[in-house]
Amino acid sequence: MATETELVGAPPLPALDAERVVERRPRNRTATFRSFVVTFFAVVVLAAFLSPMLRTLSTAFKSTDQITNANSPLWPADPATFEWEGQTYDVYQVPMPDGTTRDLALVTKGRQESEFVDPANPDAGLITWEGSWRALTQSWTFAPKFGNFADVWEIIDYPRLLFNTIALAIIGTIGTLLSCVLVAYGFARFRFPGRNFLFLVLLSTIFLPAAGTLIPTYTIFVKLGWVGTWLPLLVPAFFANAYDVFLLRQYFMTLPRELDDAAKIDGAGPFRILTSVILPQSWAVIVAVAVFHLVYTWNLYFEPLLYLSAKPELQPIATGLAAFNSIYGSSPELVQAATLMTIILPMIIFFMAQKAFMRGIVITGVEK
């Protein structure tokens, strides 16, 4: 430790600026308040966005009786019952004279007074309660109905619909990646007359409504004899689309051209540059495009309905789910169970590829 003589000779410590301290506190409070407001607003928006999903999750595990009961809880449950002397009685929440509330099984119903038995102590005998039992709240026990999913699996032949959807998604995604990568590579790396104009024409097709090309496209597929097959859903994927080409092209343009020049010096051609230089550095955007197209194909409804209406054995999940809803609409628990089964796989794929997906989307937004 320093001695007193050493401390005397040491330079004085700088004094704290009182005004800065006073000014810093209001700023910190303002920043904290702003952070709280932003976080609270984000939580509210997230809750509103996820509320339909939570309702679907809850309904999928409920029974029909609970859904039709206006006094049932939000979570999956069954009315609480108690078996006493060979009989089953409903359990209600009964207010007691001491101000507490107890779960008692209703044995004898009456207008002015009723008799209950305590499930926790049935040997105590009957308990007389004065009041109308109809005003009591029924007790519920947590009881999810996992059998709803088994019923859906058998009713709509879910394995067949799942196979059709996965096959369409995989083949369509492969076709989209092959075609869009080649087109985007051409727009990003090759210089030719009219390149910008052709790219503008390609982008303008995004604004072309699908209803405008529906009848001509359907007429062509009818003359080709493709209606009733998967070809109208798969072949267009091998001819690129403007949205995915735009994403890939923007990403490719962020890669320095010096890498291409170095590969050319080593004798690499355009195709070798694409496979050995461009693609290994573009997995983020490739994953993003694959996820985009996979989700698009998974939710595809109108086109399968149009071209496969006479072939239910070839229809994907979205079309089969709509047909199931029209038949079993009076059983919302089955409809919601089928919906939940439909969205599980895309959600798993998205969360697995989330890091690369977000990186691909962010980088494609770089101005070039």
Side-chain angles (χ1 to χ4, degrees):
M1 298 180 61
T3 62
E4 184 176 356
T5 55
E6 292 176 348
L7 291 176
V8 172
L13 296 174
L16 294 176
D17 193 342
E19 295 182 358
R20 292 182 181 180
V21 174
V22 173
E23 292 178 357
R24 190 177 302 173
R25 289 179 179 176
R27 292 180 181 178
N28 292 339
R29 292 177 181 176
T30 303
T32 303
F33 178 75
R34 290 178 180 177
S35 177
F36 172 77
V37 171
V38 172
T39 304
F40 178 78
F41 180 75
V43 170
V44 171
V45 173
L46 180 63
F49 182 78
L50 293 179
S51 59
M53 178 67 66
L54 296 177
R55 183 175 180 82
T56 297
L57 181 63
S58 175
T59 306
F61 290 94
K62 292 182 179 180
S63 63
T64 305
D65 295 336
Q66 181 185 0
I67 295 175
T68 56
N69 191 330
N71 297 322
S72 64
L74 297 177
W75 59 88
D78 282 338
T81 58
F82 176 69
E83 187 174 349
W84 186 63
E85 295 184 353
Q87 298 291 330
T88 302
Y89 302 98
D90 294 330
V91 178
Y92 292 86
Q93 298 177 4
V94 181
M96 306 305 292
D98 57 357
T100 61
T101 301
R102 298 168 60 184
D103 290 339
L104 302 179
L106 178 58
V107 178
T108 304
K109 301 177 181 178
R111 293 183 178 181
Q112 300 299 329
E113 62 179 20
S114 303
E115 292 183 333
F116 295 84
V117 65
D118 188 359
N121 186 18
D123 296 334
L126 295 176
I127 302 174
T128 302
W129 178 80
E130 295 183 356
S132 176
W133 67 271
R134 296 183 182 276
L136 299 176
T137 302
Q138 192 172 20
S139 298
W140 296 80
T141 57
F142 181 71
K145 301 297 184 293
F146 296 99
N148 293 339
F149 298 91
D151 294 340
V152 171
W153 186 276
E154 296 178 359
I155 293 174
I156 64 175
D157 195 6
Y158 191 82
R160 175 184 58 80
L161 294 176
L162 184 63
F163 171 79
N164 294 342
T165 307
I166 292 177
L168 289 172
I170 292 178
I171 299 175
T173 301
I174 292 174
T176 298
L177 290 178
L178 290 176
S179 58
C180 292
V181 164
L182 294 176
V183 175
Y185 177 61
F187 279 117
R189 284 299 194 258
F190 293 98
R191 296 189 177 96
F192 52 88
R195 182 184 67 170
N196 294 334
F197 174 75
L198 291 177
F199 186 68
L200 183 62
V201 171
L202 176 65
L203 291 182
S204 64
T205 60
I206 297 178
F207 306 100
L208 186 64
T213 60
L214 177 62
I215 296 178
T217 304
Y218 182 79
T219 303
I220 292 174
F221 289 148
V222 168
K223 292 183 177 180
L224 292 175
W226 288 1
V227 176
T229 67
W230 284 352
L231 293 178
L233 306 177
L234 296 178
V235 172
F238 287 84
F239 288 89
N241 64 84
Y243 183 75
D244 293 333
V245 168
F246 173 76
L247 290 179
L248 290 165
R249 182 248 187 191
Q250 293 300 104
Y251 193 98
F252 291 165
M253 292 187 68
T254 62
L255 303 178
R257 287 183 174 271
E258 288 76 6
L259 299 176
D260 300 20
D261 297 336
K264 290 178 181 178
I265 294 175
D266 292 336
F271 185 76
R272 183 61 183 274
I273 293 175
L274 173 63
T275 57
S276 300
V277 178
I278 303 297
L279 292 184
Q281 302 181 74
S282 306
W283 283 113
V285 70
I286 291 175
V287 171
V289 170
V291 172
F292 271 131
H293 189 79
L294 181 67
V295 174
Y296 168 78
T297 306
W298 199 271
N299 296 326
L300 202 59
Y301 169 73
F302 182 73
E303 287 79 1
L305 180 65
L306 180 64
Y307 297 113
L308 301 175
S309 58
K311 297 285 186 178
E313 66 276 6
L314 298 178
Q315 293 178 355
I317 284 180
T319 309
L321 186 61
F324 177 77
N325 187 22
S326 63
I327 299 175
Y328 293 91
S330 59
S331 301
E333 71 281 1
L334 297 181
V335 176
Q336 298 303 326
T339 303
L340 194 61
M341 293 169 62
T342 302
I343 65 178
I344 287 178
L345 186 58
M347 289 180 60
I348 294 175
I349 294 176
F350 175 78
F351 282 113
M352 291 178 60
Q354 182 179 10
K355 184 177 181 180
F357 176 81
M358 297 303 298
R359 182 171 178 266
I361 296 300
V362 170
I363 296 182
T364 52
V366 178
E367 183 179 357
K368 282 290 179 178

